[in-house]
Amino acid sequence: MESLTSRMQAVQSPIIPVVGELIKNSPGTISLGQGVVYYNPPPEAREFLPKFFAEPTNNLYKSVEGILPLLTALAGKLQAFNNIEINEENCIVVTAGSNMGFMNAILAITNPGDEIILNTPYYFNHEMAIAMAGCRAVLVATDENYHLRKEAIAQAITPKTRAVVTISPNNPTGVVYSQAALRQVNQICSDRGIYHISDEAYEYFTYNGVKHVSPGAFGNSSKYTISLFSLSKAYGFASWRIGYMVIPKHLFVAIKKVQDTILICPPVISQYAALGALQAKEEYLKSNIGAIAQVRQLVLDSLNRLQGLCSITPANGAFYFFLKVNAQMDAFELVKRLIQEHKVAVIPGTTFGMGDGCYLRVAYGALQKETAKEGIERLVQGLETIVRS
């Protein structure tokens, strides 16, 4: 019925369930689609659960921003790994995943009709959240290697702009932005009185000696930098739904209003598990990310056989490669054929805002070596067969 239409009609359908349905209808498909890791949370996460059950009031609502022991542990992690000091100018809010942190931020800093700058290719859930809030995503193209173009970002700012969003290490490209580039974005935002929303869900996933940089660590950035983090990736916490944000203190009341309305408080049992996870031995991250690094090299070696058919941009972060297929094809149709004819799934670039060519995101974090090898072989053979036919 026409009277039942809503703002959600303007929001793109989430691609992961769409591709998931295609996979379900093609048994035996290996997925190089969803951005998750193959490994489980550390044993310390499970070992903390009895502490949750031992407290008789844990069935009740807790603080909107998170339980104090977890906030304290996160402050220590932020200081040690990100060089972000929690002080009187900023604070931490625990969220049900970093996607929720992004939605919190957008609702807290905008009015309907405001603009948020996304660098393309963008993360599709960011674009969806902006549309849901009644705002407009202003798209700024990255360069040929998917790095930021600071002049283009500056030129895209209007009186309606409320924030610039960066993702580093990047989803979907895997590119890690340099400290210089992120400082430039921070400076632009500071000069123009807007926010820099820094999504750092893949902060631990860097390779070849490349280091992650947190814009929230730059001097005098507390007033305009919103930093988003997640346990979903590095700690195998996808379904536990724990992320966190570091925000300027002046946004705290607004963020609490949003979170209290949508969530009330992050799931307390998951917060206990997160508290345990943060106490995992260093070897946990080192060995698991090291294994993904080996899969990454295997995937890259195989993809390099597609030179001429695809353009493969070097990427030293996350667990993605973003391919440009050198053919005039619809990306989603290509994805469907790869699933139906070659039993391998990837994500079309159109869902990341790349409609001016045929792009594919290849995710390699969810698979161990042998399965990844088989999956990438199917992808290479499938692309060779389909594109050359």
Side-chain angles (χ1 to χ4, degrees), residues 5 96 100 112 114 119 130 140 171 210 302 316 319:
T5 59
M100 182 173 190
D114 283 344
N119 296 282
I130 292 164
V140 173
N171 176 11
V210 173
S302 294
N316 287 306
F319 34 74

Side-chain angles (χ1 to χ4, degrees), residues 90-148:
N90 61 10
C91 59
I92 302 168
V93 176
V94 179
T95 59
S98 61
N99 272 6
M100 182 173 190
F102 186 82
M103 190 83 236
N104 284 354
I106 295 301
L107 291 173
I109 67 174
T110 65
N111 291 308
D114 283 344
E115 297 173 351
I116 305 292
I117 292 176
L118 299 182
N119 296 282
T120 57
Y122 54 63
Y123 172 43
F124 52 85
N125 282 139
H126 286 173
E127 189 271 341
M128 293 165 70
I130 292 164
M132 286 180 193
C135 297
R136 188 169 82 90
V138 173
L139 308 184
V140 173
T142 49
D143 69 16
E144 64 276 8
N145 291 316
Y146 304 121
H147 283 277
L148 299 172

Side-chain angles (χ1 to χ4, degrees), residues 205-269:
F205 295 89
T206 57
Y207 316 101
N208 298 323
V210 173
K211 299 295 183 184
H212 170 67
V213 177
S214 292
F218 302 153
N220 196 31
S221 66
S222 293
K223 293 179 182 177
Y224 53 87
T225 304
I226 300 170
S227 306
L228 307 178
F229 302 94
S230 175
L231 272 71
S232 294
K233 312 304 180 184
Y235 288 96
F237 246 61
S239 72
W240 289 87
R241 307 313 304 136
I242 291 291
Y244 54 103
M245 50 197 313
V246 179
I247 60 172
K249 203 62 169 283
H250 65 259
L251 288 178
F252 186 53
V253 172
I255 296 286
K256 282 183 73 172
K257 287 179 183 179
V258 178
Q259 182 139 303
D260 184 69
T261 302
I262 296 173
L263 186 67
I264 298 183
C265 67
V268 179
I269 190 169

Side-chain angles (χ1 to χ4, degrees), residues 147-192:
H147 283 277
L148 299 172
R149 296 164 58 234
K150 66 178 187 301
E151 295 87 358
I153 291 171
Q155 288 171 4
I157 295 171
T158 75
K160 286 181 172 288
T161 305
R162 294 294 171 263
V164 176
V165 179
T166 62
I167 311 169
S168 183
N170 189 262
N171 176 11
T173 67
V175 166
V176 182
Y177 299 147
S178 69
Q179 178 171 313
L182 291 170
R183 279 189 182 278
Q184 288 164 347
V185 173
N186 255 30
Q187 191 62 52
I188 290 168
C189 292
S190 175
D191 292 345
R192 306 293 279 272

Side-chain angles (χ1 to χ4, degrees), residues 30 39 65 101 106 110 136 144 158 163 184 192 218 238 272 319 326-327 340 369 372 384-385 389:
I30 294 175
Y39 55 87
E65 65 270 28
I106 295 301
T110 65
R136 188 169 82 90
E144 64 276 8
T158 75
Q184 288 164 347
R192 306 293 279 272
F218 302 153
Y272 272 77
F319 34 74
N326 299 325
Q340 293 163 355
K369 211 168 190 178
E384 288 177 335
T385 301
S389 63

Side-chain angles (χ1 to χ4, degrees), residues 25 51 89 106 115 127 133 177 179 199-200 222 254 284 288 326 344 355 364 378 381 386:
N25 294 330
K51 296 179 186 292
E89 294 183 349
I106 295 301
E115 297 173 351
E127 189 271 341
Y177 299 147
Q179 178 171 313
D199 187 329
E200 303 175 41
S222 293
Y284 170 80
N288 284 314
N326 299 325
V344 63
Y364 54 85
R378 292 183 190 184
Q381 291 173 15
I386 295 168

